[in-house]
Amino acid sequence: MRIARFRTPSGASRVGIVDAEGVTLVDVTDVTGSSVRGILPRLADAEYRADLAAATGERYALSDIELLAPIDEPQKYLGIGMNYAEHAKEAAAAGIPTPTSQFWFNKQVSSIVGPHADLERPIVSEQLDYEIELGVVIGRPARHVSREDARSVIAGYLVANDVSVRDWLQKRSPTFTLGKSFDTHGPLGPWLTTDDEIADPLGLEMTLSVNGEVRQHGRTDDMIYDVYDQIAYLSQVFTLQPGDILATGTPAGIGAPTQTWLVPGDLVRAEIAGLGALENRVVDEPRPSDRGSGPGAE
C-alpha cells in the first residue's frame, strides 16, 4: 500500500492511497483522519489495511494535487554517515576515515519538504550536495529491539535525499547537524510504501540523476550496517517512536569528491525501485527581505 499526504486545489491537507501505477489516489481521510503518523501503529493489522484499500473517497489525478512529505510532524529525523561500502571507499580516498561504529547525526525536522518542492541553495554557501537514501519509517514504539525483531517495528519505506551543505558539516560546525539541516534540505516521499509491499528492503536499486545524468547508482545491499542493525543500535539509546525517520546511508557518487555542486536550475531526481521518485529543482534561497515564513514540514 502506498499512503500519501497531499494538498487539494482548495488548499486542504488530506490522506490518500495511491494506485499501483502511481497515477491517481483515493482520498481516505474519512478513515484515517488527517495524520499519517497517527495511523502508523495500525498498519501492521491486515484488516485495517484492507479497510483502507476498500475506502471510496474522492479520486484525484496526481498531476492535479500537491504531494506533501508523507509523515506529518515526525519527532526524529536521523541519518547515518558513510554506511555504504563503495561510498566509504570514495571518502577514504579523500582522506576521510571510515567510522569504526555506526556514525549517526541529527537532521532537523524543519528541513523536511515534499517530493517535488524546491531545494534552496543557501545564501551562505555554494557547496550544495545530494545523497539518495532509503528512508525507514518506524511504526510503533521501539526500545531495546533485537536485530531479529527489528523489521516488526518498521511501518514502511520512502525515498530520501539527504541534501548536504558540505562546508557546514564540520568546517563551520563540530557536528554534522547544521550542514544537514538547512531549510528545504530534507525532501521525502513521494509516499510511504508499507512494509508488507517490499519483499526485501536490503535488495533495492537506487539511482540519483542531475539533469538526466546519473550521478549515483547502487543497491541497498551495499550497506555496512543494514536497517535491522541500525534499529537495534539506536533503540539501545532511546525509544524510537511512530513516525521517526531513519535515512540509512548513501551509495558512492556524491558531488563532494569532485567538487561538483548543485546549482540553481538543476533538476535532481532520486528514485528507489518499488518506492517511487523525488524530483526537486534547485533554486537560490530568497534573501531575507523576500522570504515569508519558513517551509515547515509540508
Side-chain angles (χ1 to χ4, degrees), residues 61-178:
L62 293 185
S63 58
D64 292 337
I65 53 92
E66 176 190 0
L67 287 173
L68 306 175
I71 308 302
D72 50 291
E73 300 183 343
Q75 291 186 11
K76 306 182 196 70
Y77 186 8
L78 302 170
I80 187 171
M82 287 181 282
N83 189 44
Y84 276 62
E86 290 302 312
H87 176 46
K89 289 179 184 178
E90 72 177 351
I96 302 172
T98 301
T100 57
S101 63
Q102 295 187 36
F103 174 64
W104 286 94
F105 55 85
N106 180 54
K107 194 172 176 83
Q108 297 290 349
V109 296
S110 56
S111 70
I112 294 173
V113 291
H116 303 297
D118 287 342
L119 301 181
E120 294 178 358
R121 184 176 69 171
I123 295 169
V124 296
S125 176
E126 293 185 351
Q127 295 187 7
L128 184 63
D129 208 350
Y130 50 81
E131 294 186 14
I132 186 173
E133 310 214 2
L134 171 66
V136 171
V137 178
I138 301 300
R140 61 180 178 84
R143 185 73 197 276
H144 294 296
V145 177
S146 69
R147 186 186 190 283
E148 292 70 26
D149 291 337
R151 189 161 185 178
S152 70
V153 307
I154 297 174
Y157 310 92
L158 43 75
V159 184
N161 185 354
D162 178 21
V163 181
S164 304
V165 181
R166 292 296 174 193
D167 57 339
W168 279 75
L169 287 182
Q170 287 182 309
K171 294 177 184 177
R172 303 192 67 173
S173 171
T175 73
F176 273 21
T177 297
L178 295 187

Side-chain angles (χ1 to χ4, degrees), residues 2-6 14-18 25-29 32 36:
R2 301 171 173 182
I3 304 173
R5 291 177 62 242
F6 69 101
R14 310 285 289 178
V15 176
I17 303 298
V18 181
L25 60 72
V26 174
D27 189 334
V28 296
T29 312
T32 62
V36 170

Side-chain angles (χ1 to χ4, degrees), residues 225-255:
Y225 304 102
D226 68 29
V227 296
Y228 312 129
D229 293 326
Q230 294 175 35
I231 290 170
Y233 189 82
L234 290 172
S235 69
Q236 295 177 75
V237 181
F238 43 66
T239 302
L240 294 168
Q241 296 288 355
D244 287 353
I245 300 163
L246 310 182
T248 57
T250 195
I254 62 171

